[in-house]
Amino acid sequence: MILTLDTSLADLHIGLFSVECSLLADFHHITTPDERGIHDALVAQSTAEILMSVSKSASEISKIAIVNGPGSFTGLRIGLSFAKGLAFGSGATIVPLRAHAIMRYAFEKKNPAHSEIDVIYPGYERTSVYLSTRNNPDEITYTENAKLHSLGIQKALALPATEVEGIECIAQPIDLLAMAQLAVTQQGFSGIGIGDLEPFYGADFKTNAV
């Protein structure tokens, strides 16, 4: 089985898929404005519950796909720490995935005629985003943009496209199915190599104040 974890932002998303990427069970917790600390409170419990709901055990998980950044400092560390512990206990392989790569892959699968697109993902400030352009998809830029102030990044995520610096970008929630599909194609980290895994934080990306 493939377990997918997204703890990169305020909300929590967990998916359990077969090796053929069929959804077995999932869990989604959308936070309220006053909620704090949901990842450490819910990620282990919710993972155990979705395993129980389909009569599966952690030892049957072969890969753990996790959003490895960018995103919340605390959320990324909690998610990766949980994934490491689960991988050591179950023997699963961890496949770290950047948010932009997941979004780009999901968008191109659904829109093959529009494969060249820029991608934005929420930053840790309300008006900031991480930008990955079509020309340099592996270079992620942290951008403060006043245009997002009135729209709000959460509303932008619900739209098929928005604009940052005058460029049309996709901005949408992480697709857990896309994570599972990407995990199938990637080797990932296992054994002692898991200890070398670290999240990608804002400081790891080029800053571009607008």
Side-chain angles (χ1 to χ4, degrees), residues 2 11 37 78 88 120 126 128 144 191 208:
I2 302 169
D11 303 330
I78 291 172
F88 276 124
I120 63 173
R126 191 168 67 89
S128 66
E144 289 283 349
N208 180 24

Side-chain angles (χ1 to χ4, degrees), residues 49-201:
E49 288 175 355
I50 66 172
L51 283 167
M52 289 177 58
S53 71
V54 291
S55 301
K56 301 291 184 181
S57 67
S59 63
E60 296 177 76
I61 298 172
S62 58
K63 286 191 173 183
I64 303 170
I66 185 166
V67 180
N68 201 38
S72 159
F73 177 90
T74 303
L76 292 174
R77 289 207 69 84
I78 291 172
L80 187 55
S81 296
F82 172 70
K84 285 181 177 182
L86 185 59
F88 276 124
S90 66
T93 296
I94 297 180
V95 181
L97 300 168
R98 296 206 188 178
H100 294 77
I102 301 165
M103 292 169 66
R104 191 179 300 277
Y105 176 85
F107 182 82
E108 292 178 358
K109 289 277 286 187
K110 297 174 183 176
N111 305 273
H114 302 281
S115 60
E116 291 188 357
I117 191 72
D118 298 334
V119 180
I120 63 173
Y121 198 59
Y124 48 80
E125 297 293 342
R126 191 168 67 89
T127 60
S128 66
V129 295
Y130 293 103
L131 171 65
S132 170
T133 68
R134 70 197 77 188
N135 295 325
N136 297 293
D138 294 327
E139 181 180 288
I140 299 174
T141 302
Y142 178 75
T143 300
E144 289 283 349
N145 194 289
K147 291 179 181 178
L148 291 173
H149 184 74
S150 60
L151 178 63
I153 190 62
Q154 293 303 324
K155 290 182 179 178
L157 283 170
L159 299 175
T162 187
E163 282 196 357
V164 175
E165 300 174 348
I167 304 170
E168 187 177 48
C169 307
I170 59 167
Q172 57 193 24
I174 293 297
D175 187 321
L176 297 182
L177 173 59
M179 291 180 66
Q181 292 171 334
L182 284 168
V184 168
T185 66
Q186 300 189 25
Q187 186 172 357
F189 294 78
S190 60
I192 59 173
I194 292 175
D196 297 326
L197 277 175
E198 288 293 332
F200 293 98
Y201 303 121

Side-chain angles (χ1 to χ4, degrees), residues 10-12 29-38 42 154:
D11 303 330
L12 173 62
H29 183 89
I30 308 303
T31 58
T32 61
D34 59 342
E35 277 188 302
R36 296 291 185 274
I38 68 147
L42 294 179
Q154 293 303 324

